[in-house]
Amino acid sequence: HKSEPDSSFVICCMPMSLRSKWEEEILQARKMAEQARWELETQTAALKEAHKQLEASLADKDRILSIAAHDFRNPVSAMLGLAELIETELDEKLRAELQPLFRHLRLSGEYVLKLISNLLDFGKIQSGKLKIERQPADLANLLREAVELATPSAHEKDVQLAVETSGEDFTALLDPVQIGQVLHNLLGNAVKFSPRQSVVRLWLGSTPENLSIVVADEGPGIPSSELPNLFRAFQRGSSQPVDSSP
């Protein structure tokens, strides 16, 4: 006996109320997705406009800094030129007596010119365009110049600058302008935060592998809680400079 094929089938029916509810939920989800897409596009457009305005503001700032740097640089350069002219017009004896004064004047003027250049460098740092100009330089000479610049403020507070060296060759491949500014800032802060009649010690050492500079003062130091913020931009510690007046 040969069986007949099974031709049965099942029909599933959905209540109209349930179908309408699902269709309503799908429609609502589509509306929410469309609203979210519109809000995202609006926020993206606003961010693009804000970024455009920020770039324009940064460009304006760079132009203003460039003009300011030019306006500051001219009188400082004129002052240095006038000092050099006066020095050449002095007789030999008086020139020898005033040579330390003229040297300090020249170093101070050159440092101000570097600070003016740093106004432009700040914009380059923000945009990632600052170039480090490495060249062979004597770190001992850079340290001596920093000491000379800090000497007048140290004398005002009767602070002694004690320099010690260990080694002979202090030549390294570095950017003398940037490293010179670091040394000046370190030494300037050491004098600023030192009590009167104290000592600021500077140690320069060399090994075949590296060079080291240590600046140590007798000031209050940096609280341990503030050390994590030491190299963050625009951070200031709670320690206060020590007054230079007696």
Side-chain angles (χ1 to χ4, degrees), residues 69-96:
H70 182 271
D71 290 343
F72 281 127
R73 186 180 287 114
N74 283 344
V76 175
S77 298
M79 178 190 69
L80 290 174
L82 182 60
E84 183 177 356
L85 178 62
I86 294 175
E87 185 178 8
T88 57
E89 293 296 323
L90 296 176
D91 60 71
E92 185 175 350
K93 181 179 178 181
L94 189 56
R95 187 185 303 119

PDB file of all heavy atoms in Angstrom, residues 69-96:
ATOM      1  N   ALA A  69      55.759  91.126  18.715  1.00  0.00           N
ATOM      2  CA  ALA A  69      57.159  90.715  18.779  1.00  0.00           C
ATOM      3  C   ALA A  69      58.034  91.649  17.954  1.00  0.00           C
ATOM      4  O   ALA A  69      59.137  92.029  18.372  1.00  0.00           O
ATOM      5  CB  ALA A  69      57.304  89.273  18.295  1.00  0.00           C
ATOM      6  N   HIS A  70      57.543  92.046  16.797  1.00  0.00           N
ATOM      7  CA  HIS A  70      58.309  92.972  15.945  1.00  0.00           C
ATOM      8  C   HIS A  70      58.465  94.322  16.623  1.00  0.00           C
ATOM      9  O   HIS A  70      59.563  94.921  16.630  1.00  0.00           O
ATOM     10  CB  HIS A  70      57.596  93.128  14.603  1.00  0.00           C
ATOM     11  CG  HIS A  70      58.325  94.008  13.636  1.00  0.00           C
ATOM     12  ND1 HIS A  70      58.129  95.373  13.573  1.00  0.00           N
ATOM     13  CD2 HIS A  70      59.278  93.736  12.705  1.00  0.00           C
ATOM     14  CE1 HIS A  70      58.909  95.893  12.646  1.00  0.00           C
ATOM     15  NE2 HIS A  70      59.614  94.923  12.098  1.00  0.00           N
ATOM     16  N   ASP A  71      57.372  94.811  17.256  1.00  0.00           N
ATOM     17  CA  ASP A  71      57.420  96.120  17.905  1.00  0.00           C
ATOM     18  C   ASP A  71      58.333  96.111  19.125  1.00  0.00           C
ATOM     19  O   ASP A  71      58.980  97.123  19.434  1.00  0.00           O
ATOM     20  CB  ASP A  71      56.010  96.557  18.313  1.00  0.00           C
ATOM     21  CG  ASP A  71      55.144  96.901  17.112  1.00  0.00           C
ATOM     22  OD1 ASP A  71      55.723  97.116  16.020  1.00  0.00           O
ATOM     23  OD2 ASP A  71      53.910  96.939  17.246  1.00  0.00           O
ATOM     24  N   PHE A  72      58.367  94.988  19.839  1.00  0.00           N
ATOM     25  CA  PHE A  72      59.255  94.883  21.002  1.00  0.00           C
ATOM     26  C   PHE A  72      60.703  94.697  20.579  1.00  0.00           C
ATOM     27  O   PHE A  72      61.619  95.211  21.224  1.00  0.00           O
ATOM     28  CB  PHE A  72      58.829  93.716  21.893  1.00  0.00           C
ATOM     29  CG  PHE A  72      57.654  94.017  22.765  1.00  0.00           C
ATOM     30  CD1 PHE A  72      56.538  93.191  22.761  1.00  0.00           C
ATOM     31  CD2 PHE A  72      57.651  95.116  23.604  1.00  0.00           C
ATOM     32  CE1 PHE A  72      55.453  93.466  23.557  1.00  0.00           C
ATOM     33  CE2 PHE A  72      56.563  95.396  24.412  1.00  0.00           C
ATOM     34  CZ  PHE A  72      55.459  94.565  24.385  1.00  0.00           C
ATOM     35  N   ARG A  73      60.911  93.937  19.514  1.00  0.00           N
ATOM     36  CA  ARG A  73      62.272  93.592  19.113  1.00  0.00           C
ATOM     37  C   ARG A  73      63.049  94.827  18.651  1.00  0.00           C
ATOM     38  O   ARG A  73      64.248  94.959  18.931  1.00  0.00           O
ATOM     39  CB  ARG A  73      62.234  92.550  17.992  1.00  0.00           C
ATOM     40  CG  ARG A  73      63.613  92.026  17.601  1.00  0.00           C
ATOM     41  CD  ARG A  73      63.522  91.004  16.486  1.00  0.00           C
ATOM     42  NE  ARG A  73      62.975  89.736  16.957  1.00  0.00           N
ATOM     43  CZ  ARG A  73      61.822  89.237  16.581  1.00  0.00           C
ATOM     44  NH1 ARG A  73      61.047  89.922  15.732  1.00  0.00           N
ATOM     45  NH2 ARG A  73      61.403  88.076  17.031  1.00  0.00           N
ATOM     46  N   ASN A  74      62.396  95.735  17.972  1.00  0.00           N
ATOM     47  CA  ASN A  74      63.100  96.894  17.427  1.00  0.00           C
ATOM     48  C   ASN A  74      63.763  97.761  18.505  1.00  0.00           C
ATOM     49  O   ASN A  74      64.952  98.070  18.396  1.00  0.00           O
ATOM     50  CB  ASN A  74      62.144  97.735  16.580  1.00  0.00           C
ATOM     51  CG  ASN A  74      61.886  97.108  15.215  1.00  0.00           C
ATOM     52  OD1 ASN A  74      62.629  96.223  14.775  1.00  0.00           O
ATOM     53  ND2 ASN A  74      60.828  97.541  14.558  1.00  0.00           N
ATOM     54  N   PRO A  75      63.040  98.183  19.557  1.00  0.00           N
ATOM     55  CA  PRO A  75      63.716  99.018  20.566  1.00  0.00           C
ATOM     56  C   PRO A  75      64.802  98.272  21.340  1.00  0.00           C
ATOM     57  O   PRO A  75      65.809  98.875  21.719  1.00  0.00           O
ATOM     58  CB  PRO A  75      62.574  99.454  21.495  1.00  0.00           C
ATOM     59  CG  PRO A  75      61.479  98.491  21.253  1.00  0.00           C
ATOM     60  CD  PRO A  75      61.589  98.069  19.836  1.00  0.00           C
ATOM     61  N   VAL A  76      64.613  96.981  21.570  1.00  0.00           N
ATOM     62  CA  VAL A  76      65.644  96.224  22.273  1.00  0.00           C
ATOM     63  C   VAL A  76      66.903  96.128  21.412  1.00  0.00           C
ATOM     64  O   VAL A  76      68.032  96.298  21.902  1.00  0.00           O
ATOM     65  CB  VAL A  76      65.137  94.816  22.649  1.00  0.00           C
ATOM     66  CG1 VAL A  76      66.254  93.988  23.264  1.00  0.00           C
ATOM     67  CG2 VAL A  76      63.973  94.916  23.618  1.00  0.00           C
ATOM     68  N   SER A  77      66.729  95.865  20.130  1.00  0.00           N
ATOM     69  CA  SER A  77      67.879  95.811  19.233  1.00  0.00           C
ATOM     70  C   SER A  77      68.579  97.159  19.163  1.00  0.00           C
ATOM     71  O   SER A  77      69.815  97.235  19.126  1.00  0.00           O
ATOM     72  CB  SER A  77      67.418  95.387  17.830  1.00  0.00           C
ATOM     73  OG  SER A  77      66.846  94.090  17.854  1.00  0.00           O
ATOM     74  N   ALA A  78      67.777  98.249  19.161  1.00  0.00           N
ATOM     75  CA  ALA A  78      68.369  99.582  19.146  1.00  0.00           C
ATOM     76  C   ALA A  78      69.157  99.834  20.428  1.00  0.00           C
ATOM     77  O   ALA A  78      70.241 100.440  20.405  1.00  0.00           O
ATOM     78  CB  ALA A  78      67.274 100.631  18.973  1.00  0.00           C
ATOM     79  N   MET A  79      68.638  99.378  21.561  1.00  0.00           N
ATOM     80  CA  MET A  79      69.333  99.553  22.835  1.00  0.00           C
ATOM     81  C   MET A  79      70.671  98.815  22.816  1.00  0.00           C
ATOM     82  O   MET A  79      71.698  99.339  23.265  1.00  0.00           O
ATOM     83  CB  MET A  79      68.463  99.024  23.977  1.00  0.00           C
ATOM     84  CG  MET A  79      69.104  99.105  25.358  1.00  0.00           C
ATOM     85  SD  MET A  79      68.149  98.218  26.601  1.00  0.00           S
ATOM     86  CE  MET A  79      68.404  96.516  26.058  1.00  0.00           C
ATOM     87  N   LEU A  80      70.678  97.591  22.297  1.00  0.00           N
ATOM     88  CA  LEU A  80      71.923  96.828  22.218  1.00  0.00           C
ATOM     89  C   LEU A  80      72.930  97.508  21.296  1.00  0.00           C
ATOM     90  O   LEU A  80      74.126  97.570  21.584  1.00  0.00           O
ATOM     91  CB  LEU A  80      71.635  95.407  21.727  1.00  0.00           C
ATOM     92  CG  LEU A  80      70.894  94.500  22.714  1.00  0.00           C
ATOM     93  CD1 LEU A  80      70.548  93.175  22.053  1.00  0.00           C
ATOM     94  CD2 LEU A  80      71.724  94.273  23.963  1.00  0.00           C
ATOM     95  N   GLY A  81      72.426  98.026  20.175  1.00  0.00           N
ATOM     96  CA  GLY A  81      73.316  98.723  19.257  1.00  0.00           C
ATOM     97  C   GLY A  81      73.907  99.986  19.868  1.00  0.00           C
ATOM     98  O   GLY A  81      75.094 100.292  19.676  1.00  0.00           O
ATOM     99  N   LEU A  82      73.090 100.722  20.632  1.00  0.00           N
ATOM    100  CA  LEU A  82      73.567 101.935  21.292  1.00  0.00           C
ATOM    101  C   LEU A  82      74.602 101.594  22.355  1.00  0.00           C
ATOM    102  O   LEU A  82      75.627 102.290  22.490  1.00  0.00           O
ATOM    103  CB  LEU A  82      72.385 102.675  21.910  1.00  0.00           C
ATOM    104  CG  LEU A  82      72.703 104.000  22.618  1.00  0.00           C
ATOM    105  CD1 LEU A  82      73.336 104.985  21.641  1.00  0.00           C
ATOM    106  CD2 LEU A  82      71.436 104.590  23.233  1.00  0.00           C
ATOM    107  N   ALA A  83      74.370 100.520  23.115  1.00  0.00           N
ATOM    108  CA  ALA A  83      75.330 100.112  24.141  1.00  0.00           C
ATOM    109  C   ALA A  83      76.665  99.724  23.507  1.00  0.00           C
ATOM    110  O   ALA A  83      77.738 100.062  24.023  1.00  0.00           O
ATOM    111  CB  ALA A  83      74.773  98.943  24.948  1.00  0.00           C
ATOM    112  N   GLU A  84      76.611  99.040  22.375  1.00  0.00           N
ATOM    113  CA  GLU A  84      77.845  98.654  21.684  1.00  0.00           C
ATOM    114  C   GLU A  84      78.588  99.886  21.174  1.00  0.00           C
ATOM    115  O   GLU A  84      79.828  99.965  21.243  1.00  0.00           O
ATOM    116  CB  GLU A  84      77.513  97.722  20.521  1.00  0.00           C
ATOM    117  CG  GLU A  84      78.722  97.194  19.780  1.00  0.00           C
ATOM    118  CD  GLU A  84      78.347  96.231  18.680  1.00  0.00           C
ATOM    119  OE1 GLU A  84      77.152  95.909  18.539  1.00  0.00           O
ATOM    120  OE2 GLU A  84      79.257  95.807  17.941  1.00  0.00           O
ATOM    121  N   LEU A  85      77.821 100.875  20.685  1.00  0.00           N
ATOM    122  CA  LEU A  85      78.442 102.101  20.196  1.00  0.00           C
ATOM    123  C   LEU A  85      79.117 102.854  21.335  1.00  0.00           C
ATOM    124  O   LEU A  85      80.249 103.347  21.198  1.00  0.00           O
ATOM    125  CB  LEU A  85      77.378 102.983  19.532  1.00  0.00           C
ATOM    126  CG  LEU A  85      77.858 104.344  19.013  1.00  0.00           C
ATOM    127  CD1 LEU A  85      78.917 104.154  17.931  1.00  0.00           C
ATOM    128  CD2 LEU A  85      76.682 105.153  18.475  1.00  0.00           C
ATOM    129  N   ILE A  86      78.434 102.952  22.483  1.00  0.00           N
ATOM    130  CA  ILE A  86      79.018 103.647  23.640  1.00  0.00           C
ATOM    131  C   ILE A  86      80.289 102.935  24.091  1.00  0.00           C
ATOM    132  O   ILE A  86      81.297 103.574  24.423  1.00  0.00           O
ATOM    133  CB  ILE A  86      77.993 103.720  24.784  1.00  0.00           C
ATOM    134  CG1 ILE A  86      76.801 104.605  24.375  1.00  0.00           C
ATOM    135  CG2 ILE A  86      78.639 104.248  26.062  1.00  0.00           C
ATOM    136  CD1 ILE A  86      75.692 104.625  25.401  1.00  0.00           C
ATOM    137  N   GLU A  87      80.254 101.617  24.092  1.00  0.00           N
ATOM    138  CA  GLU A  87      81.423 100.846  24.537  1.00  0.00           C
ATOM    139  C   GLU A  87      82.628 101.107  23.635  1.00  0.00           C
ATOM    140  O   GLU A  87      83.757 101.235  24.103  1.00  0.00           O
ATOM    141  CB  GLU A  87      81.087  99.358  24.554  1.00  0.00           C
ATOM    142  CG  GLU A  87      82.195  98.485  25.124  1.00  0.00           C
ATOM    143  CD  GLU A  87      81.807  97.025  25.160  1.00  0.00           C
ATOM    144  OE1 GLU A  87      80.740  96.662  24.607  1.00  0.00           O
ATOM    145  OE2 GLU A  87      82.567  96.224  25.729  1.00  0.00           O
ATOM    146  N   THR A  88      82.389 101.215  22.337  1.00  0.00           N
ATOM    147  CA  THR A  88      83.510 101.435  21.421  1.00  0.00           C
ATOM    148  C   THR A  88      84.072 102.850  21.525  1.00  0.00           C
ATOM    149  O   THR A  88      85.241 103.088  21.190  1.00  0.00           O
ATOM    150  CB  THR A  88      83.063 101.181  19.964  1.00  0.00           C
ATOM    151  OG1 THR A  88      81.950 102.034  19.644  1.00  0.00           O
ATOM    152  CG2 THR A  88      82.645  99.736  19.774  1.00  0.00           C
ATOM    153  N   GLU A  89      83.258 103.793  22.023  1.00  0.00           N
ATOM    154  CA  GLU A  89      83.703 105.180  22.121  1.00  0.00           C
ATOM    155  C   GLU A  89      84.467 105.468  23.413  1.00  0.00           C
ATOM    156  O   GLU A  89      85.079 106.523  23.556  1.00  0.00           O
ATOM    157  CB  GLU A  89      82.498 106.127  22.019  1.00  0.00           C
ATOM    158  CG  GLU A  89      81.805 106.132  20.666  1.00  0.00           C
ATOM    159  CD  GLU A  89      82.727 106.652  19.562  1.00  0.00           C
ATOM    160  OE1 GLU A  89      83.512 107.582  19.832  1.00  0.00           O
ATOM    161  OE2 GLU A  89      82.659 106.114  18.439  1.00  0.00           O
ATOM    162  N   LEU A  90      84.425 104.538  24.364  1.00  0.00           N
ATOM    163  CA  LEU A  90      85.124 104.758  25.630  1.00  0.00           C
ATOM    164  C   LEU A  90      86.618 104.530  25.466  1.00  0.00           C
ATOM    165  O   LEU A  90      87.054 103.755  24.606  1.00  0.00           O
ATOM    166  CB  LEU A  90      84.567 103.805  26.703  1.00  0.00           C
ATOM    167  CG  LEU A  90      83.089 103.991  27.093  1.00  0.00           C
ATOM    168  CD1 LEU A  90      82.683 102.903  28.079  1.00  0.00           C
ATOM    169  CD2 LEU A  90      82.842 105.370  27.676  1.00  0.00           C
ATOM    170  N   ASP A  91      87.392 105.201  26.318  1.00  0.00           N
ATOM    171  CA  ASP A  91      88.823 104.948  26.288  1.00  0.00           C
ATOM    172  C   ASP A  91      89.100 103.554  26.856  1.00  0.00           C
ATOM    173  O   ASP A  91      88.262 102.935  27.513  1.00  0.00           O
ATOM    174  CB  ASP A  91      89.588 106.012  27.075  1.00  0.00           C
ATOM    175  CG  ASP A  91      89.180 106.051  28.541  1.00  0.00           C
ATOM    176  OD1 ASP A  91      89.525 105.107  29.278  1.00  0.00           O
ATOM    177  OD2 ASP A  91      88.491 107.015  28.937  1.00  0.00           O
ATOM    178  N   GLU A  92      90.293 103.065  26.613  1.00  0.00           N
ATOM    179  CA  GLU A  92      90.625 101.675  26.931  1.00  0.00           C
ATOM    180  C   GLU A  92      90.476 101.368  28.413  1.00  0.00           C
ATOM    181  O   GLU A  92      89.952 100.312  28.800  1.00  0.00           O
ATOM    182  CB  GLU A  92      92.056 101.374  26.474  1.00  0.00           C
ATOM    183  CG  GLU A  92      92.450  99.918  26.641  1.00  0.00           C
ATOM    184  CD  GLU A  92      93.821  99.635  26.062  1.00  0.00           C
ATOM    185  OE1 GLU A  92      94.373 100.520  25.359  1.00  0.00           O
ATOM    186  OE2 GLU A  92      94.343  98.529  26.319  1.00  0.00           O
ATOM    187  N   LYS A  93      90.919 102.290  29.269  1.00  0.00           N
ATOM    188  CA  LYS A  93      90.861 102.045  30.712  1.00  0.00           C
ATOM    189  C   LYS A  93      89.415 101.960  31.189  1.00  0.00           C
ATOM    190  O   LYS A  93      89.033 101.034  31.920  1.00  0.00           O
ATOM    191  CB  LYS A  93      91.594 103.152  31.465  1.00  0.00           C
ATOM    192  CG  LYS A  93      91.592 102.952  32.978  1.00  0.00           C
ATOM    193  CD  LYS A  93      92.347 104.075  33.676  1.00  0.00           C
ATOM    194  CE  LYS A  93      92.308 103.885  35.197  1.00  0.00           C
ATOM    195  NZ  LYS A  93      93.020 104.991  35.906  1.00  0.00           N
ATOM    196  N   LEU A  94      88.593 102.927  30.766  1.00  0.00           N
ATOM    197  CA  LEU A  94      87.198 102.946  31.199  1.00  0.00           C
ATOM    198  C   LEU A  94      86.435 101.765  30.607  1.00  0.00           C
ATOM    199  O   LEU A  94      85.557 101.180  31.258  1.00  0.00           O
ATOM    200  CB  LEU A  94      86.541 104.264  30.779  1.00  0.00           C
ATOM    201  CG  LEU A  94      85.145 104.550  31.333  1.00  0.00           C
ATOM    202  CD1 LEU A  94      85.156 104.485  32.855  1.00  0.00           C
ATOM    203  CD2 LEU A  94      84.632 105.896  30.853  1.00  0.00           C
ATOM    204  N   ARG A  95      86.790 101.388  29.383  1.00  0.00           N
ATOM    205  CA  ARG A  95      86.139 100.238  28.755  1.00  0.00           C
ATOM    206  C   ARG A  95      86.428  98.970  29.549  1.00  0.00           C
ATOM    207  O   ARG A  95      85.551  98.118  29.729  1.00  0.00           O
ATOM    208  CB  ARG A  95      86.605 100.066  27.319  1.00  0.00           C
ATOM    209  CG  ARG A  95      85.833  98.981  26.570  1.00  0.00           C
ATOM    210  CD  ARG A  95      86.399  98.729  25.174  1.00  0.00           C
ATOM    211  NE  ARG A  95      86.410  99.957  24.402  1.00  0.00           N
ATOM    212  CZ  ARG A  95      87.526 100.515  23.915  1.00  0.00           C
ATOM    213  NH1 ARG A  95      88.711  99.954  24.154  1.00  0.00           N
ATOM    214  NH2 ARG A  95      87.456 101.622  23.206  1.00  0.00           N
ATOM    215  N   ALA A  96      87.648  98.826  30.026  1.00  0.00           N
ATOM    216  CA  ALA A  96      88.014  97.646  30.812  1.00  0.00           C
ATOM    217  C   ALA A  96      87.245  97.618  32.133  1.00  0.00           C
ATOM    218  O   ALA A  96      86.823  96.556  32.596  1.00  0.00           O
ATOM    219  CB  ALA A  96      89.516  97.630  31.062  1.00  0.00           C
TER     220      ALA A  96
END
